[in-house]
Amino acid sequence: NFFRMYNKLSGMTGTADTEAFEFQQIYGLEVIVIPTHRDMARDDAGDLVYLTAEEKYEAVIDDIEDCFKRKQPVLVGTTSIEVSEHLSSSLNKKKVPHEVLNAKQHEREAQIIANAGALGSVTIATNMAGRGTDIVLGGKKDESEASADWEDKHQAVLDVGGLRVIGTERHESRRIDNQLRGRSGRQGDPGASRFYLSLEDSLMRIFASERVSGLMQKLGLEKGESIEHPWVSKAIENAQRKVEGHNFDIRKQLLQYDDVANDQRKVIYEQRNEIMEASNIADTIVSIRDDVVTDLIDQYIPLQSVEEQWDLTGLQTALEDEFYCKLNIKEQLDEDESLHEESLRELISKSINEDYAKKEILAGAEVLRHFEKSVMLQTLDSMWREHLGAMDHLRQGIHLRGYAQKDPKQEYKREAFELFTAMLDTLKREVVMLVTKVQVRAEEDVQAVEQQRRIQQKMEFKHADVNALEGESEAEAAEKGQPFQRTDKKVGRNEPCPCGSGKKFKQCHGKL
């Protein structure tokens, strides 16, 4: 999503052509193929397919031995560390000097790559190793080495055919295979490449085994023999296209799910930026409070209802619990018979606003504005984190809706919208409850609490006497034997915190 937020997006890579469709579909980018500056001189031989992996590795070792005897540098590409180490042990038995480049030798990567193009060098590497680097034919030139000497080495490698690339298995993506081939034949240099495959390879076993194995059985191939034909290479390429298409569908589906969360993310961050930039959000708080009060009254006094349908006791209790608004609604109705639904709503809103205005006078407008902004930001951040967790949980199981003949993506969009709407409603209610319930104490009350806190924290730190180690006095022993007695009332974990924040004690000063 970060890539798609840029107004201009472009890039350059040597292997983008096979992914052109995805670039167009996801990012709206057209892929343009630029011809090479110098003509390609690399000989890309056809794939050799063997019946078993053992036969394949034997053929790879034979090819490496032949190149080593002719002093042609070889780069062997493997799909895993296990295969690279298996080939390394086989070459050690044949006493062929070589270098292994995988995740275990990452510290020596630069040195191994620098000498991979030297005359007679053999390098075994995984797909990730040495990517994006030029293997210099003849080896990297030393600073102390004369130019003529290096030119002779370079020309000797060119004479034996340049760098030979050997692939031990086809990757799921053609792009990775092209990257391996691209280590050889750079800048118009000569080179060669060939892939050795077997019917036991993952790609062949899943996609092309039946077709190729049937062809090999018709030809009557025996152990150690291989097949090389354009049809085989075409079948393997089609198998790679299937895997690439499958992986593309997975990435596209993931992006579509993420687009839903991204739209919500934009709304939340726009609101958050507005709050951050605003110096005063009093109008926003008033608007939110009116919405919350209206929703609360609607639960107990339905719109356009008769008085017999009103739950005045429940409304009175809810107002006192959520807004600390002690308003005797029954008495107000008994005293004033002209009160009806609309005027009663106005009376409740006016009472809550007046209580809040008194707090503002007592605390000061500037302090209360800062408190409102802090509460709004903290609550928004907390709610958004919980919402993201709920969205991830929803995504994990939404595919099961397909068993009910429903589109999982549409169900995800619908439920995600419901979760987002519920989060916004909860956000309004939490913010209003926090800013409304906060109790502002008078200056003398604050000073008294502060004085009490200082008395409790006043301690003296002294080193114990040496004689105290020998034994305790009778008075100290008697004092230790007495049970502890609390002087003030114990505050329960679920009771309101004595500081007056309106939170429970366990969520405020009693928080563990």
Side-chain angles (χ1 to χ4, degrees), residues 61 64-65 68 88 90-98 122:
I61 297 298
I64 295 172
E65 274 192 297
F68 179 68
S88 176
S90 300
L91 289 174
N92 285 332
K93 293 176 183 177
K94 299 278 187 179
K95 295 183 180 180
V96 176
H98 62 279
V122 177

Side-chain angles (χ1 to χ4, degrees), residues 395-406:
R395 185 189 292 186
Q396 289 172 7
I398 200 67
H399 65 278
L400 298 173
R401 302 292 176 89
Y403 291 111
Q405 305 300 317
K406 294 180 180 179

Side-chain angles (χ1 to χ4, degrees), residues 434-448:
L434 281 171
V435 298
T436 306
K437 281 186 173 183
V438 65
Q439 298 296 310
V440 182
R441 297 189 175 185
E443 186 65 27
E444 54 270 19
D445 294 336
V446 175
Q447 289 178 357

Side-chain angles (χ1 to χ4, degrees), residues 381-394:
D381 292 346
S382 175
M383 292 285 181
W384 178 241
R385 285 195 298 269
E386 292 178 5
H387 178 71
L388 289 178
M391 291 280 283
D392 286 339
H393 185 70
L394 174 64

Side-chain angles (χ1 to χ4, degrees), residues 28-296:
L29 295 175
E30 184 180 354
V31 175
I32 300 172
V33 178
I34 301 174
T36 55
H37 177 57
R38 296 174 182 172
D39 292 337
M40 178 69 69
R42 186 180 66 230
D43 177 24
D44 293 329
D47 299 342
L48 291 179
V49 183
Y50 292 83
L51 286 171
T52 63
E54 183 182 353
E55 297 173 41
K56 176 183 73 172
Y57 292 135
E58 288 177 0
V60 170
I61 297 298
D62 292 340
D63 195 348
I64 295 172
E65 274 192 297
D66 177 61
C67 292
F68 179 68
K69 289 175 183 177
R70 294 186 291 105
K71 298 295 183 183
Q72 183 179 13
V74 182
L75 175 65
V76 183
T78 63
T79 55
S80 65
I81 295 176
E82 290 80 10
V83 175
S84 66
E85 292 181 342
H86 172 71
L87 291 175
S88 176
S89 64
S90 300
L91 289 174
N92 285 332
K93 293 176 183 177
K94 299 278 187 179
K95 295 183 180 180
V96 176
H98 62 279
E99 292 281 2
V100 180
L101 180 57
N102 54 34
K104 295 182 179 180
Q105 282 83 25
H106 63 279
E107 294 177 353
R108 298 178 54 240
E109 180 172 352
Q111 180 186 352
I112 295 172
I113 288 295
N115 298 319
L119 200 67
S121 66
V122 177
T123 309
I124 301 173
T126 56
N127 287 324
M128 293 301 295
R131 286 174 60 180
T133 57
D134 273 330
I135 296 176
V136 182
L137 299 185
K140 189 176 181 181
K141 181 182 176 182
D142 295 331
E143 294 179 1
S144 59
E145 189 178 12
S147 298
D149 293 340
W150 182 84
E151 286 291 344
D152 292 340
K153 292 180 181 178
H154 180 70
Q155 187 60 44
V157 174
L158 294 179
D159 292 342
V160 295
L163 179 67
R164 179 171 179 81
V165 172
I166 297 175
T168 59
E169 188 177 337
R170 282 281 193 173
H171 196 271
E172 289 182 350
S173 173
R174 290 170 294 163
R175 184 171 55 86
I176 305 296
D177 293 339
N178 292 337
Q179 284 176 345
L180 180 60
R181 285 190 195 273
R183 303 298 102 214
S184 173
R186 300 172 79 88
Q187 299 294 324
D189 290 336
S193 69
R194 183 187 284 275
F195 279 86
Y196 288 83
L197 313 177
S198 76
L199 295 182
E200 295 177 359
D201 294 347
S202 302
L203 189 71
M204 299 287 288
R205 188 176 66 252
I206 297 170
F207 289 96
S209 60
E210 293 181 4
R211 189 172 180 182
V212 178
S213 62
L215 184 62
M216 295 178 79
Q217 287 172 3
K218 288 178 183 177
L219 294 172
L221 293 179
E222 297 179 0
K223 185 179 180 180
E225 293 183 334
S226 64
I227 180 174
E228 179 185 356
H229 197 279
W231 288 1
V232 177
S233 300
K234 193 73 174 175
I236 295 166
E237 193 173 331
N238 289 335
Q240 287 178 308
R241 282 200 180 95
K242 288 179 183 177
V243 178
E244 288 171 2
H246 176 67
N247 293 336
F248 167 65
D249 289 339
I250 293 173
R251 289 193 294 270
K252 186 177 181 181
Q253 190 175 40
L254 185 68
L255 193 70
Q256 289 173 342
Y257 280 118
D258 199 48
D259 280 340
V260 178
N262 194 45
D263 293 338
Q264 297 179 2
R265 192 178 291 114
K266 287 179 182 177
V267 173
I268 290 295
Y269 276 90
E270 282 176 8
Q271 289 186 355
R272 197 180 191 283
N273 290 335
E274 288 175 4
I275 296 169
M276 291 286 290
E277 292 169 2
S279 57
N280 186 342
I281 61 167
D283 293 339
T284 305
I285 295 294
V286 170
S287 175
I288 291 174
R289 186 167 60 237
D290 290 342
D291 291 341
V292 173
V293 171
T294 302
D295 291 340
L296 181 66

